[in-house]
Amino acid sequence: DTGSGKTSLLRDLAAEIIEGDVGACFYSVKSDAYQDGLSIVKKANRPFVRFDIATERYNPLAFALKHWSPPEAAEQLKIVSEANADGAGKQDAFWQGNFDNALVHVLTLLAIARETPSLVDMYQFVSSMPTKADQHSKPEFQQTFCCQLMVEASEKCTESQQFDVDQACDFFCISLPTAGSKVSGAVITNLLNLCAPLARGELRAVVQGESTISPSDPSDGFVVLWDYPVLDAGAPARLLQTMFKVQMCKYILKVAPKRYTLQVTDEAQ
């Protein structure tokens, strides 16, 4: 209930915990969340990093593909997408297998072709995917981002990666376009829905290039303070913070499963 003291209790608990050299992340729902977290961190004399979209960069796809395989990175994207789907039900199994394959294949190509792959790259790839069986052989397709990325991956892949690249290229050029317009259309639409919220608008520059803030920061002893309130920025802020939460948890479980970390959110996300 409003006024029952939840926020004050949360501040007191967080202040006590981070004095014990625990890595932490303070997420921002309300506009004053950053200042609240900053006062706690300064009082505890802890090193911190501030996330502000005007100055910082967080590339979740590059982080995922650096630390996990394309199938594992795909699962992270799906977790975040489902968590922010506002109660939407599971998709029709008729095309779900093709969607899962498409997601893993595009991440495979990006991981091989780009040093710092991003959701912007993914959006551009999906936006230019062939939709008809003969489209990949047309001169116009050779100029698309989709074709160029497949060529890059083919040129840069190792011998052990060649099979995965060939599988991905065959899937996007032949298998998916010949699966029927209903299947291919649903797959493309849902891939775009997965990456578009973070690949367009004010976050476009934030989620590409080298990251200046990372989900690994709390495990390195830093306190991360988010200054991107959900109540001000809406769905993009909620989506980006959810991605950070998932990757922070996954990373800690991977490299330091016994290390304590703190995640603080005042109000449900």
Side-chain angles (χ1 to χ4, degrees), residues 94-105:
F94 178 66
W95 62 266
Q96 186 67 50
N98 280 289
F99 171 78
D100 292 342
N101 287 334
L103 183 55
V104 171
H105 285 320

Side-chain angles (χ1 to χ4, degrees), residues 117-194:
S118 72
L119 291 169
V120 175
D121 294 327
M122 180 177 168
Y123 179 80
Q124 292 178 315
F125 180 90
V126 177
S127 298
S128 57
M129 282 166 47
T131 57
K132 298 180 181 179
D134 62 343
Q135 191 173 339
H136 70 279
S137 61
K138 303 291 185 181
E140 297 82 8
F141 179 68
Q142 313 305 315
Q143 306 302 317
T144 65
F145 186 91
C146 177
C147 180
Q148 292 169 4
L149 188 75
M150 288 192 286
V151 171
E152 283 186 53
S154 297
E155 293 174 344
K156 294 180 179 180
C157 70
T158 64
E159 186 175 346
S160 63
Q161 295 170 327
Q162 187 67 61
F163 177 78
D164 290 337
V165 171
D166 290 343
Q167 287 283 93
C169 293
D170 286 346
F171 179 85
F172 290 120
C173 291
I174 301 173
S175 300
L176 187 60
T178 58
S181 59
K182 178 181 178 181
V183 174
S184 61
V187 168
I188 291 173
T189 297
N190 282 273
L191 284 173
L192 289 174
N193 289 340
L194 193 65

Side-chain angles (χ1 to χ4, degrees), residues 24-144:
C25 186
F26 287 72
Y27 299 97
S28 58
V29 178
K30 300 176 180 178
S31 58
D32 59 353
Y34 168 72
Q35 290 298 332
D36 285 346
L38 182 62
S39 63
I40 293 172
V41 171
K42 284 188 172 182
K43 186 176 181 180
N45 196 29
R46 293 291 309 281
F48 70 93
V49 290
R50 173 193 180 192
F51 179 83
D52 181 344
I53 64 169
T55 57
E56 304 303 324
R57 298 292 178 266
Y58 163 44
N59 186 335
L61 192 58
F63 184 81
L65 292 173
K66 177 181 179 180
H67 297 287
W68 295 279
S69 67
E72 292 170 324
E75 286 303 313
Q76 290 183 18
L77 290 178
K78 288 164 62 178
I79 289 171
V80 173
S81 177
E82 291 168 4
N84 288 275
D86 296 325
K90 289 190 175 182
Q91 302 295 340
D92 191 340
F94 178 66
W95 62 266
Q96 186 67 50
N98 280 289
F99 171 78
D100 292 342
N101 287 334
L103 183 55
V104 171
H105 285 320
V106 68
L107 295 183
T108 296
L109 294 174
L110 286 168
I112 295 171
R114 297 297 167 94
E115 290 186 9
T116 53
S118 72
L119 291 169
V120 175
D121 294 327
M122 180 177 168
Y123 179 80
Q124 292 178 315
F125 180 90
V126 177
S127 298
S128 57
M129 282 166 47
T131 57
K132 298 180 181 179
D134 62 343
Q135 191 173 339
H136 70 279
S137 61
K138 303 291 185 181
E140 297 82 8
F141 179 68
Q142 313 305 315
Q143 306 302 317
T144 65

